[in-house]
Amino acid sequence: MGIFDRYQSTDDTIKKYLKQLWEYQEAEADLMVEIATLLYEDDAIDDAVGFLERSVRIYGELGLYEQEASILDLMGDVYVNIGENNTALQYYIKCHQICTAKDLPINEDVFNKIQDLEGVEQTSTKMGNETSTSSLDEDSYSEIFDEGFSEDMEKVDYENIGSKLDDIIALLDEYAVYGSYQKFDNPMAHIKEAIEMSRSIGDDKGEAGLVLIMGDISLKKEETEKSLDYFKQALEKFRKIGDDKGETISRLMVGTAYFLLGETDEGSTYLRESMEIIKFLHDDKLEKAAMALLKSIYR
């Protein structure tokens, strides 16, 4: 009766090796930070940043978000010290996004650094558009959140919400290319083929956009749980490649799906996070569309 013992042993061995691999990867990232510190002290700034970038990717893949955020914060400090404030601002904003999403303790400190830099670089923007400024006032959307979700789900205007989501997803960079798939009789089949193509050529951004569109199609079919899964997949893909606009749109979608499922606390968290990111994107169209969505969801 010991015929299955070998399989149990193999499973335990795999788990052991995976644990060891995880530990090795974490140690590798830690070592890269140490090397970067020594390189920085020798004024080899570019080499130091290169090692820090690699450590950030590893920490992110391992889900070590506090370490990931700390290194992003450190990289911001490095660029401030060499006078490259715009680059520093980008790293601080990425750090702030992670801190907000994961409720990390360095959040307030990083936010203060962002405010200080934006005060110095009045025309600096996160998306590289150096002549625009954000019109989004925190009080304007905080008041909407304070009103709370509509308690009577029967009075929720799903058609209105769906229209607002369409307006938002149409702002996705990839929508001009892939949005036409929704017009096919069997759009999911065509999108899945496009996803395979994107994977084969390493187009991570295109794949993330397609997954988000799949979620939008599922939501219109009132397959809300399935749509939530697609939105979360897209969110993780956009976050991994550092696409802030895609991440923001995905968070809006995730928050709305949770709301429609009746999980209002979770939905509110994602919507708040998205509005925090939008403040730094300086995208007037996205700001307007996001505010319209909030007003259709809340009282």
Side-chain angles (χ1 to χ4, degrees):
M1 296 300 292
I3 189 171
F4 294 108
D5 291 347
R6 176 170 61 88
Y7 294 98
Q8 182 63 42
S9 176
T10 300
D11 185 57
D12 291 342
T13 301
I14 291 174
K15 289 180 180 179
K16 182 182 73 173
Y17 286 156
L18 286 174
K19 184 175 183 295
Q20 289 179 352
L21 178 61
W22 190 91
E23 293 171 348
Y24 289 149
Q25 288 177 314
E26 182 181 7
E28 179 185 10
D30 293 343
L31 186 58
M32 287 180 180
V33 175
E34 295 294 334
I35 294 173
T37 302
L38 295 174
L39 289 169
Y40 181 77
E41 292 174 353
D42 287 340
D43 292 326
I45 306 299
D46 290 341
D47 291 336
V49 169
F51 276 100
L52 291 176
E53 285 278 15
R54 290 163 64 185
S55 71
V56 164
R57 286 197 295 270
I58 294 174
Y59 286 137
E61 290 172 358
L62 296 177
L64 298 173
Y65 301 114
E66 188 164 357
Q67 290 92 324
E68 181 185 10
S70 295
I71 301 304
L72 289 170
D73 182 27
L74 176 61
M75 293 176 74
D77 293 343
V78 168
Y79 279 106
V80 166
N81 289 337
I82 62 177
E84 296 187 18
N85 288 346
N86 285 330
T87 303
L89 185 61
Q90 293 175 19
Y91 283 109
Y92 286 144
I93 290 173
K94 289 181 180 179
C95 177
H96 181 264
Q97 292 171 7
I98 295 173
C99 292
T100 300
K102 304 300 177 182
D103 194 24
L104 300 179
I106 63 174
N107 195 9
E108 183 176 355
D109 181 50
V110 174
F111 183 70
N112 290 335
K113 292 180 181 180
I114 292 171
Q115 288 188 313
D116 290 341
L117 279 184
E118 289 196 324
V120 174
E121 303 290 326
Q122 291 293 330
T123 60
S124 165
T125 71
K126 190 176 182 186
M127 299 302 292
N129 179 2
E130 297 186 355
T131 60
S132 65
T133 56
S134 175
S135 61
L136 186 62
D137 181 358
E138 184 173 355
D139 291 338
S140 65
Y141 65 82
S142 292
E143 291 178 0
I144 297 177
F145 284 117
D146 290 341
E147 292 177 356
F149 283 110
S150 173
E151 295 179 358
D152 188 354
M153 296 296 290
E154 292 184 359
K155 294 182 179 180
V156 173
D157 189 344
Y158 288 91
E159 184 175 349
N160 184 35
I161 292 175
S163 174
K164 299 299 184 292
L165 290 178
D166 286 344
D167 292 341
I168 291 173
I169 204 168
L171 298 174
L172 195 68
D173 294 338
E174 297 74 31
Y175 190 80
V177 178
Y178 299 122
S180 60
Y181 283 110
Q182 298 199 53
K183 299 177 182 178
F184 288 108
D185 292 335
N186 186 6
M188 285 298 203
H190 291 282
I191 292 177
K192 288 178 180 178
E193 290 179 1
I195 287 176
E196 290 301 320
M197 179 63 72
S198 296
R199 287 175 180 170
S200 68
I201 63 175
D203 182 10
D204 295 332
K205 187 173 182 179
E207 180 184 349
L210 286 163
V211 173
L212 193 66
I213 292 173
M214 289 177 72
D216 187 43
I217 293 172
S218 297
L219 195 65
K220 290 176 180 177
K221 295 165 62 177
E222 299 186 11
E223 298 173 347
T224 311
E225 291 186 1
K226 183 182 291 186
S227 72
L228 177 60
D229 182 56
Y230 285 132
F231 292 151
K232 284 187 171 182
Q233 289 181 44
L235 171 58
E236 182 58 28
K237 291 178 186 296
F238 279 125
R239 196 195 72 81
K240 189 173 181 179
I241 63 178
D243 187 313
D244 301 316
K245 186 176 183 179
E247 177 183 347
T248 303
I249 291 175
S250 298
R251 288 187 183 279
L252 288 170
M253 297 292 181
V254 170
T256 303
Y258 270 123
F259 162 69
L260 294 175
L261 288 170
E263 300 183 37
T264 55
D265 289 342
E266 194 74 17
S268 182
T269 297
Y270 277 95
L271 292 171
R272 284 180 181 273
E273 290 170 358
S274 68
M275 299 308 292
E276 285 295 315
I277 299 173
I278 288 175
K279 284 196 300 184
F280 304 109
L281 290 182
H282 304 279
D283 187 322
D284 292 338
K285 290 183 179 179
L286 183 55
E287 289 177 8
K288 183 178 179 180
M291 287 295 290
L293 173 65
L294 293 184
K295 290 177 181 178
S296 70
I297 291 178
Y298 289 82
R299 295 193 191 93

